[in-house]
Amino acid sequence: MNVPAIPRAAGANPGALLIRQLLEVPLAQFPEREIVYAGHTRLDYRRFGERVARLGSALTRLGVRAGQTVAVLDWDSHRYLECFFAVPMLGAVLHTVNIRLAPEQILYTINHAEDDVILVHADFVPLVEGIRARIERPVQLVLLADAAGAAAPAGGAGEYEALLAAADPAFAFPDDLPEDARATTFYTTGTTGQPKGVYFSHRQLVLHTLAERAAVLGTGQGHVGQNDVYMPITPMFHVHAWGFPYTATTLGMKQVYPGRYLPEVLLRLIATEGVTFSHCVPTILHLLLTHPLAAGTDLSGWKVVIGGGALPQALARAALARGIDVFGGYGMSETCPLLTLAQLEAPMLERPFEQQLALRCKAGRAIPLVELRVVDPELRDVAHDGASQGEVVVRAPWLTQGYWRDAAAGAALWAGGWLHTGDIGTLDAEGYLKITDRVKDVIKTGGEWISSLALEDLLLRHPAVAEAAVIALPDERWGERPFALVVPKAGQELDPAALHALLADCAAQGLISKYGVPERIEVVEALPKTSVGKLDKKAMRAHWTP
Amino acid sequence: MNVPAIPRAAGANPGALLIRQLLEVPLAQFPEREIVYAGHTRLDYRRFGERVARLGSALTRLGVRAGQTVAVLDWDSHRYLECFFAVPMLGAVLHTVNIRLAPEQILYTINHAEDDVILVHADFVPLVEGIRARIERPVQLVLLADAAGAAAPAGGAGEYEALLAAADPAFAFPDDLPEDARATTFYTTGTTGQPKGVYFSHRQLVLHTLAERAAVLGTGQGHVGQNDVYMPITPMFHVHAWGFPYTATTLGMKQVYPGRYLPEVLLRLIATEGVTFSHCVPTILHLLLTHPLAAGTDLSGWKVVIGGGALPQALARAALARGIDVFGGYGMSETCPLLTLAQLEAPMLERPFEQQLALRCKAGRAIPLVELRVVDPELRDVAHDGASQGEVVVRAPWLTQGYWRDAAAGAALWAGGWLHTGDIGTLDAEGYLKITDRVKDVIKTGGEWISSLALEDLLLRHPAVAEAAVIALPDERWGERPFALVVPKAGQELDPAALHALLADCAAQGLISKYGVPERIEVVEALPKTSVGKLDKKAMRAHWTP
């Protein structure tokens, strides 16, 4: 027989949307496509499907049942992808642990999510050992190791490959899961309070995958086909690497999982594995482009979605000059995450370069099934003129229904029946969203709204500026005034007066309001960041407010 | 404000899958794309959206409420597309009436579906007048007219354009529909009994659209992008023109609705409107290619999905020679309909032409979310070797849940938890399905299964054969024996002995079993057809069985 399909148990629910279905088509149609881990482990989809079944069998033998939670602490790997499928396919919940959090925060999420099993890479065994006494539930630890001889956690349940080798390759996953079963959870860190758990059901992840797939496929700029080669450069713990591993798998794409995000490893994999499609935050792309290895690496034709922050025009220019097809996207942990993509359709590729560049650097247009609005505080739409600002609110069938075990925060998120992103933006007549600020970072001065992001983008145009942050400081006369912090590039000098002149010049050109030019610009050595590398404006306000 | 969106009433259900959502993205992103009717009526998406709102308002003023049924008898038009959206968006059910049925059958479906309002094109007013006295419920008739002065039905509720002109362009559709609300119904005609009603919910149509969109988008052969120009050549009553009008709309494609299917009109529209994407049954493509106008029309680059019957290799060859990117698809009324598409992915385009041709002429590979199996009578998978035959059974989230008000037939359709297509097929190692026969048309002779379709395809290779049908006739010794009927091309002679020799030669080459060569081949003037133009093998068996 040798039918490369996931075996099914009886009791089917033929209309339900289940994660298992994302795996059916690629196993039947692309059994020989490759999945590569860190350049050394290679498997084809047929073997991947068998390993997913073995993992389901192994976890069941460890006692995992529907409704329990399985946590993972790993670098980006084929193992992680196996967990993306096998854990929810058992009816259990996959907790993708943010390994960049402080140990105390990781402990908090493990206890809050009520993890039953933790799969932990050897690199994180010391971390887990350090907090283990304070994990509130009995928990089984499984070691993930890239080489023999890795130190296993004391009293662990075994090593991943050994457990898989002993497991049943024809394990039958349950076929009667309800589509609303919780499938994954991830903890998002705001700049206040403890991490909050967002969660997504089978139905939500299938719909997100289908819409993401429909949004990225196509014949124009920024679109992909089944023969593209995918490598994530947003970690798999972070809302499932933005859902793209599910999308790439269901398309049967060749996939490359890089392990740790070391620039030299990423650049080497792009070249040796023929990577053509990735996604990352602006900082990572900047790191890659400025790495010494980049000069000798052919990056042309590489399609890169930038999210987690606006794509700065300077970075887009540098990437386009290398032949990289770079464009923005937008979403957040609460939205699974994809909401918009800034691809250009064919007629737009006829426009002048600067207009194309501006479009690529926007958040983009709603993907299928996303209802995207920019509204005033009474939830009335602002004009779609590319200038009127308001809060971005959305609906889509895959948004988190709330925060796990935190009903009050969830109710605030969904005030008025729309998910409030907390972002300020504009919509233009072609449906392009541009994020101009965070609701809490916008500077309200003399009755006007000044975008801190717009000021930062202008400051970054100065050749000696490496990083910039603009915050609001209280002002007796104007309510608030902008205050700019800039970090010079290594070995370069920065004169605040020159930056002030640059911004005043921008105001004279109409790029910003003249009220937007900050009186105070300070040169600093570094800016405070959150655990995921975003500017920590709350810390800056706390430090700089008189 | 001028926000080109469908206004919403309060009471939202933010996670539900609703047809309204398919319209949100194109209205926001492609307000200026065109929808063309028969080359004379042109509107952009912005105006289309406004007309959908007006239609919702007009139908509400006529008393249409959630749960009621609105029937349409029209040629393919922008009006029909407006009904595709406005009727379900009211919570009402759209009954797409098969205008090719006999008047008695149309009457049956109108009564069985319990239509409350009938939108009827002037061409079908005499038909409706003829059956009106026997329509069991009180029904309101709305006239659809292409020109002033069309004869309205007696006591009608008005003319479509006049009703729209008087209606509210800012009509707010209900925003709290349940996603499982019935949205559309269509009556499928088997060769036995009365037509049976299949029906689809909002959720099912949204999922079908999203999966169809994901399946047709891409960079390779047979794939489309948002800048393709769509024209259906499968009537809109027939399971919503295979769902493609929804897919084209949600993509924001330019759309061309041709009215009646006159070859000269279709060919002219392809040229003048720049049509690049269509779907039709094999017969129509054959008609177009052999029409005198075809020689002077540039058809290169036109992508055509063939369904409703296998794509014959001879037809595929002729189309490819004209530069048409033709390939098969598969589905049925019960399946919404799309299940598979026979696009070739990039590496397959490197194979020899004859292999590519064979793949294009298969039913194709499962589209996203379709679970496709070929099974023996005990629902066990046959080998995926491209040779082992079995019945095609499927699951997908958009299959009809049964037949409307016919529970027994629905239970048989879903025996064992899988939808039984009634088709015999094979699956190969790359996931390509090939339909070899209907369960009821397969010829069981001496313990072997002979495919009637395979024999027909071979007979069609003879240059003088226009049509061919093979049926099983009872045989005392072998159980059944194949019997072939052939129609010669106009003005050509056909010798049954020559056809017999051709098939014997095919058997000698191993293309068919030697037991498959029919002893009897008859030349006839025409073959009996069903209302939708398919071979009526039931009528043939009744006529030819001794």
Side-chain angles (χ1 to χ4, degrees), chain B residues 59 154 208 238 264 273-274 279-280 320 328 344 377 380 394 400 407 416 430 463 468 494 501-502 521 523 533:
Chain B
L59 291 172
H208 182 267
H238 191 265
E264 56 275 20
E273 301 294 342
H279 47 82
C280 63
L320 291 167
L344 309 181
R380 291 175 304 212
V394 290
T400 189
E430 294 177 313
L494 261 182
L502 181 149
I521 300 178
V523 177

Side-chain angles (χ1 to χ4, degrees), chain A residues 490-537:
Chain A
Q492 304 224 28
E493 293 278 318
L494 262 180
D495 174 11
L499 291 171
H500 190 276
L502 181 149
L503 292 180
D505 193 45
C506 290
Q509 292 173 49
L511 296 177
I512 47 168
S513 146
K514 62 179 175 168
Y515 305 107
V517 181
E519 290 78 18
R520 288 180 62 194
I521 300 177
E522 301 253 351
V523 177
V524 293
E525 281 181 22
L527 295 170
K529 303 264 174 66
T530 68
S531 70
V532 295
K534 292 190 182 180
L535 292 174
D536 188 348
K537 293 198 174 176

Side-chain angles (χ1 to χ4, degrees), chain A residues 1 3 8 12 15 20 29 33 175 179 203 213-214 217-219 227 345-346 365-366 368 371 381 384 395, chain B residues 1 3 8 12 15 20 29 33 175 179 203 213-214 217-219 227 345-346 365-366 368 371 381 384 395:
Chain A
M1 292 281 299
V3 177
R8 298 181 189 79
R20 175 179 54 72
Q29 298 180 7
R33 282 279 168 83
D175 197 18
E179 66 177 20
R203 168 187 161 114
R213 171 183 171 141
L217 281 175
T219 52
N227 294 299
E345 37 153 353
R365 306 209 276 195
E371 297 179 58
D381 292 272
H384 293 187
R395 285 187 188 158
Chain B
M1 292 279 301
V3 177
R8 302 182 186 77
R20 175 178 55 73
Q29 298 180 7
R33 282 277 168 82
D175 196 19
E179 65 177 20
R203 168 188 162 113
R213 170 182 172 142
L217 281 176
T219 52
N227 293 299
E345 37 153 352
R365 307 208 275 194
E371 296 178 60
D381 292 273
H384 293 187
R395 284 185 190 159

